[in-house]
Amino acid sequence: MVVYVGFTSLASNYGDVELAVSTIMMKLFMLFSYFVDGFAYAGEALVGKEIGRSSGKSIEPVVDALGFKKNAVIIEVQGDEWDESIDRSPELKEEITLSKKEIIDRIKECGIVGLGGACFPAHVKYMLPPDKKVDYLLVNAAECEPYITVDHRLMLENADKCIIGIKALLIASGAPKALIGIEANKPDAIKHFKELTANIPEIEIIPLKPKYPQGAEKQLIKALTGREVPNGKLPIEVGVIVNNISTCHAVYYAVQKNRPLIETFLTVTGKTLQTRKNYRVRLGTPVQEILDTVTIPEGIGKVIAGGPMMGKAMSNLNCYTVKGMSSLLLMDEKESKRAEVTACLRCGKCVYGCPMGLQGEKLFHCGASSKDAGNKITTIMQIENTEIYHVLMEKLLVNSRL
Protein backbone atom coordinates (compact mmCIF):
# COMPACT_ATOMS: atom_id res chain seq x y z
CA MET A 1 0.00 0.00 0.00
CA VAL A 2 1.27 3.44 -0.94
CA VAL A 3 1.02 5.99 1.86
CA TYR A 4 1.69 9.71 1.73
CA VAL A 5 1.97 11.43 5.09
CA GLY A 6 1.83 15.18 5.50
CA PHE A 7 1.21 18.18 7.68
CA THR A 8 0.42 21.86 7.37
CA SER A 9 2.70 24.67 8.48
CA LEU A 10 2.71 27.46 5.95
CA ALA A 11 2.83 31.25 5.88
CA SER A 12 3.47 32.60 2.41
CA ASN A 13 1.92 34.46 -0.49
CA TYR A 14 0.32 32.95 -3.58
CA GLY A 15 0.16 35.77 -6.12
CA ASP A 16 -2.20 38.24 -4.51
CA VAL A 17 -3.68 35.47 -2.38
CA GLU A 18 -2.75 35.49 1.26
CA LEU A 19 -2.01 32.16 2.89
CA ALA A 20 -1.42 31.92 6.61
CA VAL A 21 -2.37 28.69 8.33
CA SER A 22 -0.58 26.35 10.69
CA THR A 23 -1.36 23.14 12.50
CA ILE A 24 0.48 20.33 14.19
CA MET A 25 -1.91 17.49 13.55
CA MET A 26 -3.32 16.11 10.33
CA LYS A 27 -6.25 13.74 10.19
CA LEU A 28 -6.24 11.43 7.20
CA PHE A 29 -9.68 9.99 6.56
CA MET A 30 -8.48 7.49 3.93
CA LEU A 31 -5.05 6.05 3.29
CA PHE A 32 -5.51 3.79 0.31
CA SER A 33 -3.60 4.48 -2.93
CA TYR A 34 -5.49 7.16 -4.84
CA PHE A 35 -7.57 8.37 -1.85
CA VAL A 36 -4.65 9.73 0.15
CA ASP A 37 -4.78 13.19 1.73
CA GLY A 38 -1.19 14.17 2.45
CA PHE A 39 2.47 13.77 1.64
CA ALA A 40 6.13 13.92 2.66
CA TYR A 41 7.14 10.26 2.53
CA ALA A 42 6.10 8.61 -0.72
CA GLY A 43 6.35 4.98 -1.66
CA GLU A 44 6.28 1.77 0.33
CA ALA A 45 6.77 2.09 4.08
CA LEU A 46 10.12 0.57 5.03
CA VAL A 47 10.54 -1.71 8.03
CA GLY A 48 11.80 0.32 10.98
CA LYS A 49 11.28 3.62 9.17
CA GLU A 50 9.51 6.14 11.40
CA ILE A 51 7.05 8.29 9.45
CA GLY A 52 5.18 9.69 12.45
CA ARG A 53 4.13 8.97 16.00
CA SER A 54 0.67 8.41 17.34
CA SER A 55 -0.51 10.74 20.08
CA GLY A 56 -2.73 8.43 22.13
CA LYS A 57 -5.00 6.40 19.88
CA SER A 58 -3.70 5.84 16.36
CA ILE A 59 -7.22 5.51 14.94
CA GLU A 60 -10.20 7.31 16.38
CA PRO A 61 -13.53 8.68 15.13
CA VAL A 62 -13.71 12.34 14.19
CA VAL A 63 -16.67 14.43 13.06
CA ASP A 64 -16.50 15.75 9.49
CA ALA A 65 -17.87 19.03 8.17
CA LEU A 66 -21.37 17.60 7.77
CA GLY A 67 -21.51 16.16 11.28
CA PHE A 68 -20.85 12.52 10.38
CA LYS A 69 -18.35 10.45 12.32
CA LYS A 70 -15.50 8.90 10.35
CA ASN A 71 -12.44 6.98 11.43
CA ALA A 72 -9.23 9.00 11.16
CA VAL A 73 -5.55 8.17 11.55
CA ILE A 74 -3.95 10.67 13.93
CA ILE A 75 -0.31 11.38 13.11
CA GLU A 76 2.04 13.69 14.96
CA VAL A 77 4.31 15.08 12.28
CA GLN A 78 7.87 16.02 13.13
CA GLY A 79 8.97 18.13 10.17
CA ASP A 80 8.35 19.19 6.60
CA GLU A 81 10.54 16.49 5.11
CA TRP A 82 9.83 15.65 1.47
CA ASP A 83 10.55 12.47 -0.41
CA GLU A 84 13.61 12.83 -2.64
CA SER A 85 11.69 11.72 -5.76
CA ILE A 86 9.49 14.85 -5.66
CA ASP A 87 10.74 17.76 -7.75
CA ARG A 88 10.32 20.90 -5.63
CA SER A 89 12.11 23.25 -8.02
CA PRO A 90 10.12 26.30 -9.24
CA GLU A 91 11.17 25.81 -12.87
CA LEU A 92 8.39 25.07 -15.34
CA LYS A 93 8.89 21.61 -16.81
CA GLU A 94 7.37 21.64 -20.29
CA GLU A 95 8.60 18.46 -21.96
CA ILE A 96 6.43 15.44 -21.16
CA THR A 97 8.56 12.30 -21.20
CA LEU A 98 6.11 9.76 -19.78
CA SER A 99 4.15 7.35 -21.96
CA LYS A 100 0.34 7.07 -21.94
CA LYS A 101 0.37 4.21 -19.43
CA GLU A 102 2.97 5.92 -17.26
CA ILE A 103 0.88 9.10 -17.12
CA ILE A 104 -2.24 7.19 -16.05
CA ASP A 105 -0.25 5.26 -13.43
CA ARG A 106 1.31 8.48 -12.12
CA ILE A 107 -2.12 10.14 -11.81
CA LYS A 108 -3.30 7.14 -9.79
CA GLU A 109 -0.23 6.95 -7.58
CA CYS A 110 -0.36 10.68 -6.81
CA GLY A 111 -3.97 10.52 -5.68
CA ILE A 112 -5.35 12.90 -8.30
CA VAL A 113 -9.14 13.18 -8.21
CA GLY A 114 -11.70 15.30 -10.00
CA LEU A 115 -11.50 18.70 -8.34
CA GLY A 116 -14.74 20.02 -9.77
CA GLY A 117 -16.53 18.63 -6.73
CA ALA A 118 -17.14 14.93 -7.38
CA CYS A 119 -13.63 13.82 -6.33
CA PHE A 120 -13.87 10.79 -8.61
CA PRO A 121 -10.44 9.14 -9.07
CA ALA A 122 -9.10 10.84 -12.19
CA HIS A 123 -7.17 7.88 -13.59
CA VAL A 124 -10.31 5.73 -13.92
CA LYS A 125 -11.65 7.91 -16.74
CA TYR A 126 -8.58 7.06 -18.80
CA MET A 127 -8.75 3.29 -18.33
CA LEU A 128 -10.85 2.85 -21.44
CA PRO A 129 -12.34 -0.34 -22.88
CA PRO A 130 -10.74 -1.38 -26.20
CA ASP A 131 -13.87 -0.43 -28.16
CA LYS A 132 -14.02 3.16 -26.87
CA LYS A 133 -12.37 6.12 -28.60
CA VAL A 134 -12.01 9.66 -27.30
CA ASP A 135 -12.72 12.44 -29.79
CA TYR A 136 -12.43 15.36 -27.39
CA LEU A 137 -10.92 16.10 -24.02
CA LEU A 138 -13.21 18.71 -22.47
CA VAL A 139 -11.80 21.02 -19.80
CA ASN A 140 -14.38 22.53 -17.48
CA ALA A 141 -13.24 26.07 -16.69
CA ALA A 142 -16.75 27.53 -16.55
CA GLU A 143 -16.83 27.94 -12.76
CA CYS A 144 -20.53 28.74 -12.87
CA GLU A 145 -21.12 28.31 -9.12
CA PRO A 146 -21.73 31.76 -7.55
CA TYR A 147 -19.13 33.22 -5.17
CA ILE A 148 -16.35 30.73 -6.01
CA THR A 149 -13.33 32.20 -7.86
CA VAL A 150 -10.48 29.72 -7.32
CA ASP A 151 -10.49 28.41 -10.89
CA HIS A 152 -10.48 31.96 -12.21
CA ARG A 153 -7.41 32.87 -10.16
CA LEU A 154 -5.75 29.58 -11.07
CA MET A 155 -6.21 30.30 -14.78
CA LEU A 156 -4.67 33.75 -14.41
CA GLU A 157 -1.71 32.78 -12.25
CA ASN A 158 -0.93 29.21 -13.35
CA ALA A 159 -2.22 28.93 -16.92
CA ASP A 160 1.12 27.54 -18.17
CA LYS A 161 0.96 24.64 -15.72
CA CYS A 162 -2.70 23.97 -16.57
CA ILE A 163 -1.88 23.80 -20.29
CA ILE A 164 0.93 21.30 -19.72
CA GLY A 165 -1.46 19.24 -17.59
CA ILE A 166 -3.96 19.33 -20.47
CA LYS A 167 -1.27 18.11 -22.88
CA ALA A 168 -0.54 15.20 -20.53
CA LEU A 169 -4.25 14.30 -20.43
CA LEU A 170 -4.40 14.45 -24.23
CA ILE A 171 -1.67 11.81 -24.29
CA ALA A 172 -3.47 9.74 -21.65
CA SER A 173 -6.80 9.89 -23.49
CA GLY A 174 -5.52 9.61 -27.04
CA ALA A 175 -7.84 12.48 -28.00
CA PRO A 176 -6.69 14.65 -30.91
CA LYS A 177 -8.16 17.84 -29.48
CA ALA A 178 -8.96 19.56 -26.16
CA LEU A 179 -11.78 22.09 -25.80
CA ILE A 180 -11.60 24.49 -22.85
CA GLY A 181 -14.94 26.05 -21.91
CA ILE A 182 -14.65 29.35 -20.02
CA GLU A 183 -17.63 31.54 -19.13
CA ALA A 184 -17.54 34.99 -20.74
CA ASN A 185 -17.58 36.71 -17.34
CA LYS A 186 -13.86 35.87 -17.17
CA PRO A 187 -12.57 37.79 -20.20
CA ASP A 188 -9.07 38.14 -18.75
CA ALA A 189 -8.77 34.36 -18.39
CA ILE A 190 -10.10 33.81 -21.93
CA LYS A 191 -7.61 36.29 -23.36
CA HIS A 192 -4.72 34.84 -21.35
CA PHE A 193 -5.42 31.26 -22.45
CA LYS A 194 -5.91 32.25 -26.08
CA GLU A 195 -2.53 33.98 -26.08
CA LEU A 196 -0.77 30.97 -24.53
CA THR A 197 -2.44 28.44 -26.87
CA ALA A 198 -2.16 30.48 -30.09
CA ASN A 199 0.48 28.07 -31.43
CA ILE A 200 -1.06 24.91 -29.95
CA PRO A 201 -3.64 23.73 -32.54
CA GLU A 202 -4.78 20.79 -30.44
CA ILE A 203 -6.16 23.12 -27.74
CA GLU A 204 -9.13 25.40 -28.43
CA ILE A 205 -10.62 28.01 -26.10
CA ILE A 206 -14.41 28.38 -26.30
CA PRO A 207 -16.16 31.27 -24.50
CA LEU A 208 -19.52 30.29 -23.01
CA LYS A 209 -22.52 32.30 -21.90
CA PRO A 210 -22.52 32.90 -18.13
CA LYS A 211 -25.40 30.84 -16.79
CA TYR A 212 -26.00 28.13 -14.25
CA PRO A 213 -25.32 25.21 -14.53
CA GLN A 214 -23.03 25.81 -17.49
CA GLY A 215 -20.32 23.74 -15.80
CA ALA A 216 -22.51 20.68 -15.17
CA GLU A 217 -21.07 17.75 -17.10
CA LYS A 218 -23.94 17.02 -19.47
CA GLN A 219 -24.59 20.70 -20.11
CA LEU A 220 -20.91 21.39 -20.80
CA ILE A 221 -20.70 18.48 -23.25
CA LYS A 222 -23.76 19.77 -25.09
CA ALA A 223 -22.45 23.34 -25.17
CA LEU A 224 -18.95 22.43 -26.39
CA THR A 225 -19.67 19.55 -28.77
CA GLY A 226 -23.41 19.53 -29.45
CA ARG A 227 -23.54 15.91 -28.27
CA GLU A 228 -26.02 14.56 -25.72
CA VAL A 229 -25.06 11.90 -23.20
CA PRO A 230 -27.80 9.22 -23.10
CA ASN A 231 -29.69 8.77 -19.85
CA GLY A 232 -27.70 6.63 -17.43
CA LYS A 233 -24.57 6.63 -19.59
CA LEU A 234 -21.11 8.13 -19.15
CA PRO A 235 -19.49 10.84 -21.32
CA ILE A 236 -17.26 8.27 -23.01
CA GLU A 237 -20.40 6.96 -24.74
CA VAL A 238 -20.34 10.13 -26.88
CA GLY A 239 -16.55 10.13 -27.26
CA VAL A 240 -15.52 12.68 -24.64
CA ILE A 241 -13.73 12.85 -21.29
CA VAL A 242 -14.35 15.81 -18.98
CA ASN A 243 -11.91 17.18 -16.41
CA ASN A 244 -11.91 20.35 -14.33
CA ILE A 245 -9.20 22.96 -14.89
CA SER A 246 -7.98 22.49 -11.30
CA THR A 247 -7.56 18.78 -12.01
CA CYS A 248 -5.37 19.65 -15.01
CA HIS A 249 -3.24 21.81 -12.71
CA ALA A 250 -2.85 18.91 -10.26
CA VAL A 251 -2.00 16.57 -13.16
CA TYR A 252 0.91 18.86 -14.13
CA TYR A 253 2.46 18.50 -10.69
CA ALA A 254 1.85 14.74 -10.65
CA VAL A 255 3.21 13.99 -14.12
CA GLN A 256 6.00 16.55 -14.31
CA LYS A 257 7.04 16.87 -10.66
CA ASN A 258 5.94 13.52 -9.17
CA ARG A 259 4.05 15.49 -6.55
CA PRO A 260 0.92 13.97 -4.95
CA LEU A 261 -2.27 15.93 -4.44
CA ILE A 262 -1.40 17.55 -1.12
CA GLU A 263 -3.21 20.86 -1.20
CA THR A 264 -6.47 22.47 -2.18
CA PHE A 265 -7.47 25.91 -3.38
CA LEU A 266 -10.55 27.42 -1.79
CA THR A 267 -12.45 30.70 -1.69
CA VAL A 268 -13.38 32.24 1.66
CA THR A 269 -16.20 34.63 0.91
CA GLY A 270 -19.59 36.04 1.83
CA LYS A 271 -21.55 39.24 1.30
CA THR A 272 -20.89 40.50 4.83
CA LEU A 273 -17.17 39.69 4.86
CA GLN A 274 -14.95 42.76 4.55
CA THR A 275 -12.04 40.66 3.25
CA ARG A 276 -12.69 37.93 0.70
CA LYS A 277 -9.75 35.77 -0.27
CA ASN A 278 -8.62 32.73 -2.20
CA TYR A 279 -6.41 30.37 -0.23
CA ARG A 280 -3.99 27.59 -1.04
CA VAL A 281 -3.84 25.24 1.93
CA ARG A 282 -2.53 21.78 2.67
CA LEU A 283 -5.09 19.02 2.93
CA GLY A 284 -5.84 18.46 6.59
CA THR A 285 -5.72 22.14 7.56
CA PRO A 286 -8.30 22.90 10.28
CA VAL A 287 -11.20 24.90 8.83
CA GLN A 288 -11.38 27.04 11.95
CA GLU A 289 -7.77 28.18 11.47
CA ILE A 290 -8.59 29.34 7.95
CA LEU A 291 -11.64 31.27 9.17
CA ASP A 292 -9.53 32.85 11.91
CA THR A 293 -7.50 34.66 9.22
CA VAL A 294 -10.52 36.73 8.16
CA THR A 295 -12.67 39.00 10.31
CA ILE A 296 -15.92 37.12 10.75
CA PRO A 297 -18.82 39.53 11.28
CA GLU A 298 -21.54 38.94 13.82
CA GLY A 299 -24.82 37.36 12.81
CA ILE A 300 -23.47 34.57 10.61
CA GLY A 301 -26.29 32.10 10.16
CA LYS A 302 -24.64 29.46 8.01
CA VAL A 303 -21.23 28.34 6.77
CA ILE A 304 -21.32 26.35 3.53
CA ALA A 305 -18.60 24.04 2.26
CA GLY A 306 -18.78 24.80 -1.45
CA GLY A 307 -21.05 27.20 -3.30
CA PRO A 308 -24.65 28.23 -2.61
CA MET A 309 -26.06 25.90 -5.28
CA MET A 310 -24.22 22.60 -4.72
CA GLY A 311 -22.45 23.19 -1.40
CA LYS A 312 -23.54 21.75 1.93
CA ALA A 313 -24.08 23.57 5.19
CA MET A 314 -21.41 22.76 7.76
CA SER A 315 -22.60 21.60 11.16
CA ASN A 316 -19.08 21.39 12.54
CA LEU A 317 -16.25 23.89 12.06
CA ASN A 318 -13.82 21.74 14.02
CA CYS A 319 -13.04 19.75 10.88
CA TYR A 320 -10.37 19.67 8.20
CA THR A 321 -9.91 20.56 4.57
CA VAL A 322 -10.24 17.65 2.18
CA LYS A 323 -9.97 17.10 -1.55
CA GLY A 324 -12.65 18.94 -3.47
CA MET A 325 -13.38 21.56 -0.80
CA SER A 326 -13.52 24.60 -3.06
CA SER A 327 -15.07 27.26 -0.84
CA LEU A 328 -16.09 28.38 2.62
CA LEU A 329 -19.15 30.57 2.13
CA LEU A 330 -20.43 32.58 5.09
CA MET A 331 -24.07 33.70 5.00
CA ASP A 332 -25.79 36.00 7.48
CA GLU A 333 -29.05 35.12 9.21
CA LYS A 334 -31.22 36.82 6.60
CA GLU A 335 -29.52 35.29 3.58
CA SER A 336 -29.35 31.80 5.05
CA LYS A 337 -33.09 31.51 5.71
CA ARG A 338 -35.18 29.77 3.11
CA ALA A 339 -37.93 31.81 1.49
CA GLU A 340 -41.50 31.03 2.45
CA VAL A 341 -43.17 28.45 0.21
CA THR A 342 -46.00 29.98 -1.78
CA ALA A 343 -48.76 28.42 -3.85
CA CYS A 344 -47.70 26.91 -7.20
CA LEU A 345 -49.40 28.65 -10.13
CA ARG A 346 -48.32 25.92 -12.60
CA CYS A 347 -46.86 28.60 -14.87
CA GLY A 348 -44.29 26.15 -16.26
CA LYS A 349 -41.27 28.44 -15.81
CA CYS A 350 -39.56 25.77 -13.72
CA VAL A 351 -39.71 23.36 -16.67
CA TYR A 352 -38.05 25.84 -18.98
CA GLY A 353 -35.48 26.76 -16.32
CA CYS A 354 -34.51 23.19 -15.41
CA PRO A 355 -31.29 22.19 -17.21
CA MET A 356 -32.62 18.63 -17.49
CA GLY A 357 -36.09 19.62 -18.69
CA LEU A 358 -37.87 18.08 -15.69
CA GLN A 359 -41.41 19.05 -14.67
CA GLY A 360 -40.66 20.72 -11.37
CA GLU A 361 -44.25 21.54 -10.43
CA LYS A 362 -45.28 17.90 -10.67
CA LEU A 363 -42.22 16.71 -8.77
CA PHE A 364 -43.05 19.18 -5.99
CA HIS A 365 -46.68 18.11 -5.68
CA CYS A 366 -45.82 14.39 -5.78
CA GLY A 367 -43.16 14.77 -3.13
CA ALA A 368 -45.37 16.83 -0.87
CA SER A 369 -48.64 14.92 -1.00
CA SER A 370 -48.34 11.37 -2.25
CA LYS A 371 -47.51 8.24 -0.27
CA ASP A 372 -46.42 6.69 -3.54
CA ALA A 373 -44.28 9.71 -4.42
CA GLY A 374 -41.21 7.69 -5.38
CA ASN A 375 -42.89 5.78 -8.21
CA LYS A 376 -44.72 8.86 -9.48
CA ILE A 377 -41.57 10.97 -9.47
CA THR A 378 -39.76 8.23 -11.41
CA THR A 379 -42.54 8.27 -14.00
CA ILE A 380 -42.38 12.05 -14.34
CA MET A 381 -38.59 12.03 -14.69
CA GLN A 382 -38.91 9.65 -17.64
CA ILE A 383 -39.60 12.77 -19.67
CA GLU A 384 -35.84 12.68 -20.18
CA ASN A 385 -36.34 9.77 -22.55
CA THR A 386 -39.00 11.52 -24.63
CA GLU A 387 -38.94 13.84 -27.59
CA ILE A 388 -40.19 16.65 -25.32
CA TYR A 389 -36.94 16.44 -23.35
CA HIS A 390 -34.79 16.85 -26.44
CA VAL A 391 -36.84 19.85 -27.60
CA LEU A 392 -36.41 21.45 -24.16
CA MET A 393 -32.69 20.74 -24.14
CA GLU A 394 -32.29 22.43 -27.52
CA LYS A 395 -34.14 25.52 -26.24
CA LEU A 396 -32.10 25.61 -23.05
CA LEU A 397 -28.70 25.13 -24.62
CA VAL A 398 -29.04 26.87 -27.96
CA ASN A 399 -26.35 29.50 -28.39
CA SER A 400 -24.50 28.43 -25.26
CA ARG A 401 -21.36 29.58 -27.01
CA LEU A 402 -20.79 33.26 -27.62
Side-chain angles (χ1 to χ4, degrees), residues 92-108:
L92 184 70
K93 188 176 180 181
E94 297 189 47
E95 183 183 1
I96 300 172
T97 59
L98 300 185
S99 66
K100 175 179 179 176
K101 183 180 184 304
E102 288 171 334
I103 290 173
I104 297 172
D105 289 343
R106 181 69 62 81
I107 291 172
K108 175 182 177 180

Side-chain angles (χ1 to χ4, degrees), residues 167-243:
K167 289 181 177 180
L169 291 177
L170 281 172
I171 296 172
S173 65
K177 196 172 187 65
L179 306 178
I180 306 177
I182 308 176
E183 281 194 344
N185 57 6
K186 307 172 186 64
D188 48 358
I190 293 173
K191 180 182 177 182
H192 190 38
F193 263 76
K194 282 188 173 182
E195 290 173 351
L196 292 178
T197 59
N199 297 318
I200 309 176
E202 63 269 26
I203 299 178
E204 181 181 353
I205 314 302
I206 301 178
L208 301 172
K209 285 187 177 181
K211 59 181 180 179
Y212 187 88
Q214 188 72 272
E217 191 170 65
K218 286 188 175 182
Q219 282 66 43
L220 187 73
I221 292 171
K222 178 68 175 180
L224 293 179
T225 68
R227 303 179 183 183
E228 290 184 16
V229 180
N231 186 33
K233 300 296 183 179
L234 297 173
I236 190 60
E237 295 296 328
V238 294
V240 302
I241 292 178
V242 183
N243 275 125

Side-chain angles (χ1 to χ4, degrees), residues 39-104:
F39 84 104
Y41 296 96
E44 297 180 353
L46 302 177
V47 175
K49 177 71 173 180
E50 181 179 278
I51 61 172
R53 291 186 179 180
S54 167
S55 55
K57 289 185 177 180
S58 59
I59 299 178
E60 62 183 54
V62 298
V63 180
D64 67 10
L66 303 181
F68 296 103
K69 284 188 176 181
K70 295 181 178 179
N71 286 333
V73 177
I74 314 300
I75 298 174
E76 182 177 343
V77 185
Q78 300 165 356
D80 194 14
E81 182 179 350
W82 292 63
D83 186 86
E84 293 180 356
S85 65
I86 299 174
D87 181 359
R88 299 183 64 189
S89 66
E91 286 79 16
L92 184 70
K93 188 176 180 181
E94 297 189 47
E95 183 183 1
I96 300 172
T97 59
L98 300 185
S99 66
K100 175 179 179 176
K101 183 180 184 304
E102 288 171 334
I103 290 173
I104 297 172

Side-chain angles (χ1 to χ4, degrees), residues 137-380:
L137 169 67
L138 304 187
V139 179
N140 183 359
E143 198 167 44
C144 60
E145 186 86 14
Y147 289 98
I148 303 176
T149 59
V150 285
D151 285 352
H152 188 186
R153 295 307 309 171
L154 193 66
M155 287 188 283
L156 293 178
E157 299 180 19
N158 287 281
D160 48 1
K161 298 181 181 68
C162 293
I163 290 171
I164 296 171
I166 292 169
K167 289 181 177 180
L169 291 177
L170 281 172
I171 296 172
S173 65
K177 196 172 187 65
L179 306 178
I180 306 177
I182 308 176
E183 281 194 344
N185 57 6
K186 307 172 186 64
D188 48 358
I190 293 173
K191 180 182 177 182
H192 190 38
F193 263 76
K194 282 188 173 182
E195 290 173 351
L196 292 178
T197 59
N199 297 318
I200 309 176
E202 63 269 26
I203 299 178
E204 181 181 353
I205 314 302
I206 301 178
L208 301 172
K209 285 187 177 181
K211 59 181 180 179
Y212 187 88
Q214 188 72 272
E217 191 170 65
K218 286 188 175 182
Q219 282 66 43
L220 187 73
I221 292 171
K222 178 68 175 180
L224 293 179
T225 68
R227 303 179 183 183
E228 290 184 16
V229 180
N231 186 33
K233 300 296 183 179
L234 297 173
I236 190 60
E237 295 296 328
V238 294
V240 302
I241 292 178
V242 183
N243 275 125
N244 184 267
I245 189 69
S246 293
T247 306
C248 299
H249 179 261
V251 166
Y252 164 77
Y253 276 103
V255 173
Q256 300 296 83
K257 301 285 189 174
N258 193 34
R259 178 172 171 173
L261 182 56
I262 62 169
E263 60 190 16
T264 186
F265 298 87
L266 56 86
T267 301
V268 179
T269 186
K271 289 181 179 180
T272 58
L273 279 182
Q274 292 184 351
T275 305
R276 306 175 187 94
K277 301 178 181 179
N278 285 318
Y279 287 78
R280 182 186 66 187
V281 298
R282 297 271 182 92
L283 298 172
T285 302
V287 167
Q288 188 60 61
E289 288 199 14
I290 300 173
L291 294 178
D292 287 343
T293 65
V294 297
T295 303
I296 301 177
E298 295 183 1
I300 294 298
K302 186 180 292 185
V303 179
I304 297 176
M309 305 300 288
M310 295 297 292
K312 296 182 180 180
M314 300 176 68
S315 61
N316 170 41
L317 295 181
N318 187 28
C319 59
Y320 304 83
T321 56
V322 295
K323 296 177 183 179
M325 183 179 284
S326 59
S327 174
L328 294 173
L329 172 60
L330 283 70
M331 290 184 171
D332 60 22
E333 293 283 357
K334 181 180 179 180
E335 188 182 12
S336 62
K337 287 183 179 179
R338 292 187 178 182
E340 183 180 351
V341 178
T342 58
C344 175
L345 301 176
R346 296 180 183 271
C347 65
K349 287 186 177 180
C350 58
V351 180
Y352 188 80
C354 176
M356 298 305 296
L358 301 180
Q359 301 181 67
E361 87 288 353
K362 290 187 178 181
L363 291 171
F364 171 77
H365 287 294
C366 284
S369 61
S370 176
K371 292 182 180 179
D372 194 28
N375 291 332
K376 289 188 176 181
I377 287 175
T378 301
T379 301
I380 292 170

